[in-house]
Amino acid sequence: MYDVIVVGSGATGAWTALCLARAGRRVLVVEAGRDVSADELGRLLRYDKPPDPVPAQPRQSLLPGHSSVIAPFLVDDELNPYATSGADDYRWFRSRQLGGRTLLWGGVTPRLSDEHFADWPFTGADLEPHYERVERAMGVDKDQPLTAAERALAEAFEQQWPGARVLPRPGVAGWPQRLDEHGVAWPAGASPVLFLHDALDLGAELRTDCIVESLALEGERVIGVNVVDRLTCERSLIRSDSVVLCASSIESTRILLNSRNADHPEGVGNSSDHLGRHLRDHISFTVSGTTDRFTGPDSRMQLGGPYGIYLSLPDRGYQVEGWAQRGGARPGQPARFGLATSAAMSDDSANRFTIHPDLVDAWGIPAVDISFGIGADDRAVIQRAEAEIKQACASAGFEITAVDRHYEQISSYVHEGGTARMGASPEDSVVDPWSRVWDAPNVLVVDGACWPTNPYPNPTLTMLAIASRVCDALTDSWGE
Ligand SMILES: Cc1cc2nc3c(=O)[nH]c(=O)nc-3n(C[C@H](O)[C@H](O)[C@H](O)COP(=O)(O)OP(=O)(O)OC[C@H]3O[C@@H](n4cnc5c(N)ncnc54)[C@H](O)[C@@H]3O)c2cc1C
């Protein structure tokens, strides 16, 4: 019998396990995917092709930057199907292995600003100490020097948007790799090397290849999780006092929706009919090109990684982030640059998913049917952003040679959030301000599923700050 079962070992699961293990409780991390070997990690870091056949990925291969090198770290679409039935064909990019998507993520870690919490049941100030804790734990670097080309771009941006300030792009320090205690190299932002190994050292336990199918119910009460062995398909029950869902925004809600009995006929947490609704992602585009005002990469600067420039424009409704003169050109050649712009989506409760009546995954677990569309107002924001970025680049003497309008296809930013929204009342939300499911308070949802809105900054740092706040409250409640 465990005190807490944490579902998932990605960003939020590994960090949650560490916070709870530090409080001295018996913690089990249950991870659906495989453990990863040093060889696999080495190939990923060297960008070497894997020897095995690439998984079937008609959907995952649409992820920008997809290649046979990263393919093993994204799911096999045939084993993990989902349906779409809305105006836009929702692209759900997901990983199933130890560390989840943190083996692939870019490590860019901006905070949300105060205005982004307008519709949340807590404020930016409430989250401040937790942001600090997470940034310390991950080693976030906010002071990387800019290249000369980035400084020129920053100047042009600040002229275009008077009052706006371009900052060094905050990101996980030590890119591209970090060694664990056995000398194995991991991507620098990978949750096992950042958090999970420390949690295990403190006594937390880990089971990989263990898929949570649903919450185990006894009447109204949740008594643990029902799991399926990924390799043998054997089913069993693991008991615990509490369950913390960190399986990622859509997977956590899928588990809640698949947890049904006479007391929870529509799934645990669905008494308000909000479960699965309010799915939002970021809509984005990228531009890249050259500038002959500067030459080649600046050899003193870190190539790749999360560093560069970052600009948040709350009154325009979007952010711009990117790099210049860090790579992609030979010395003496015009410098290259790349910028990514993303905007939030407004609320539309029709953007939702339900459990498909027939479709199941390779383990017989009911799959989701996602209905999703981008509203005309949201498209207008990102189209206006595109015109503004083009103007700012032209005024800086940066020539755009390629534009990728990801917003035409939705979604390519992998920043999905919502579907088990947090709120102050059980009538219009799924979890309370401390992430406890109103209908089952020993179940907590701390990943992006609990977000009441999905503001445009890259979300992972904020997910971890929320997890930190929730874990503090949970451990305080144990002391009572
Ligand atoms: C290429 C790429 C670049 C990105 N760059 C950035 C960036 O720069 N900045 C940023 O903020 N975000 C970025 N992201 C997004 C970031 O990766 C996610 O926000 C973050 O990983 C979410 O954490 P999570 O814990 O919710 O999910 P994940 O990290 O995906 O972890 C979920 C875990 O749960 C496991 N799981 C799922 N279902 C079950 C189940 N039923 N039972 C047991 N386990 C289960 C999965 O196997 C996985 O290990 C990027 C993502 C990608 C793919």
Side-chain angles (χ1 to χ4, degrees):
M1 174 83 169
Y2 294 92
D3 293 322
V4 189
I5 290 175
V6 176
V7 182
S9 70
T12 57
W15 171 241
T16 298
L18 177 57
C19 294
L20 297 177
R22 280 185 180 143
R25 290 296 162 132
R26 203 158 171 228
V27 178
L28 173 68
V29 179
V30 175
E31 166 54 52
R34 68 187 186 285
D35 199 350
V36 284
S37 68
D39 276 357
E40 284 187 84
L41 292 168
R43 270 195 299 276
L44 176 63
L45 286 164
R46 291 190 306 273
Y47 220 72
D48 281 351
K49 274 193 180 167
D52 310 322
V54 167
Q57 294 186 327
R59 286 182 184 276
Q60 305 302 309
S61 61
L62 301 172
L63 177 71
H66 182 274
S67 69
S68 58
V69 175
I70 69 164
F73 301 95
L74 293 163
V75 296
D76 181 312
D77 289 318
E78 283 176 8
L79 303 179
N80 297 278
Y82 68 95
T84 56
S85 55
D88 289 298
D89 188 33
Y90 186 79
R91 294 179 176 182
W92 181 19
F93 299 116
R94 52 187 171 144
S95 297
R96 276 205 170 179
Q97 70 270 331
L98 191 72
R101 289 176 291 187
T102 66
L103 268 52
L104 300 180
W105 76 311
V108 178
T109 53
R111 294 184 181 194
L112 303 193
S113 34
D114 286 347
E115 61 270 12
H116 291 139
F117 293 98
D119 297 319
W120 292 44
F122 56 83
T123 64
D126 293 330
L127 219 49
E128 175 81 25
H130 303 285
Y131 272 133
E132 279 168 18
R133 185 186 289 171
V134 178
E135 285 173 347
R136 250 195 328 274
M138 285 210 281
V140 167
D141 188 342
K142 300 183 196 174
D143 297 314
Q144 275 272 326
L146 303 186
T147 63
E150 285 164 354
R151 286 200 301 277
L153 211 43
E155 210 172 286
F157 284 180
E158 287 174 359
Q159 268 168 16
Q160 165 118 356
W161 296 285
R165 221 179 125 226
V166 176
L167 300 170
R169 182 160 60 163
V172 175
W175 217 262
Q177 67 178 48
R178 191 179 290 235
L179 298 184
D180 70 14
E181 64 275 30
H182 305 295
V184 174
W186 293 76
S191 60
V193 71
L194 284 178
F195 313 127
L196 188 65
H197 292 172
D198 287 344
L200 301 180
D201 286 346
L202 289 169
E205 294 173 39
L206 168 68
R207 282 196 212 173
T208 48
D209 299 312
C210 188
I211 307 169
V212 173
E213 176 168 33
S214 59
L215 299 168
L217 295 166
E218 238 173 43
E220 273 191 7
R221 265 190 62 74
V222 171
I223 56 159
V225 291
N226 295 313
V227 299
V228 187
D229 186 296
R230 185 179 73 87
L231 303 169
T232 64
C233 293
E234 207 173 295
R235 284 174 152 76
S236 59
L237 157 70
I238 313 177
R239 287 177 183 272
S240 64
D241 285 339
S242 304
V243 178
V244 186
L245 294 175
C246 300
S248 76
S249 304
I250 295 176
E251 290 281 13
S252 287
T253 297
R254 176 185 175 201
I255 292 170
L256 290 167
L257 281 167
N258 274 331
S259 305
R260 295 171 191 228
N261 69 0
D263 291 292
H264 300 278
E266 304 301 328
V268 168
N270 207 8
S271 57
S272 63
D273 189 31
H274 280 282
L275 196 60
R277 292 187 187 270
H278 313 283
L279 174 63
R280 284 184 266 198
D281 214 314
H282 293 160
I283 46 182
S284 65
F285 65 90
T286 56
V287 298
S288 57
T290 57
T291 174
D292 50 20
R293 286 183 60 194
F294 301 92
T295 53
D298 181 333
S299 57
R300 293 160 308 164
M301 298 299 172
Q302 170 118 26
L303 302 182
Y307 316 118
I309 53 173
Y310 180 79
L311 174 63
S312 174
L313 293 164
D315 55 339
R316 313 298 296 156
Y318 61 89
Q319 71 170 20
V320 193
E321 48 159 322
W323 57 274
Q325 205 186 7
R326 286 181 190 261
R330 284 200 304 277
Q333 299 290 307
R336 295 203 59 82
F337 72 99
L339 298 169
T341 302
S342 57
M345 290 177 64
S346 36
D347 190 18
D348 181 354
S349 65
N351 276 343
R352 67 178 301 195
F353 68 84
T354 51
I355 296 298
H356 194 279
D358 310 309
L359 190 66
V360 293
D361 66 18
W363 298 271
I365 303 173
V368 302
D369 182 354
I370 304 177
S371 171
F372 197 84
I374 309 175
D377 290 352
D378 294 339
R379 257 189 230 279
V381 171
I382 198 78
Q383 280 163 341
R384 190 190 63 208
E386 187 184 326
E388 291 174 350
I389 297 295
K390 283 180 172 166
Q391 196 184 332
C393 287
S395 76
F398 283 57
E399 192 194 341
I400 295 172
T401 53
V403 182
D404 280 328
R405 294 185 184 85
H406 302 307
Y407 61 83
E408 286 176 347
Q409 294 94 25
I410 200 67
S411 79
S412 301
Y413 231 46
V414 206
H415 290 172
E416 76 282 4
T419 72
R421 65 177 353 194
M422 183 184 280
S425 122
E427 279 75 48
D428 59 11
S429 59
V430 175
V431 302
D432 74 8
W434 302 100
S435 276
R436 293 173 296 205
V437 176
W438 290 107
D439 302 342
N442 65 335
V443 179
L444 296 92
V445 183
V446 306
D447 56 29
C450 73
W451 287 33
T453 64
N454 193 356
Y456 56 75
N458 315 53
T460 311
L461 178 82
T462 303
M463 291 179 191
L464 300 180
I466 292 170
S468 165
R469 176 177 176 271
V470 166
C471 289
D472 270 8
L474 187 63
T475 51
D476 283 353
S477 74
W478 288 333
E480 282 162 12

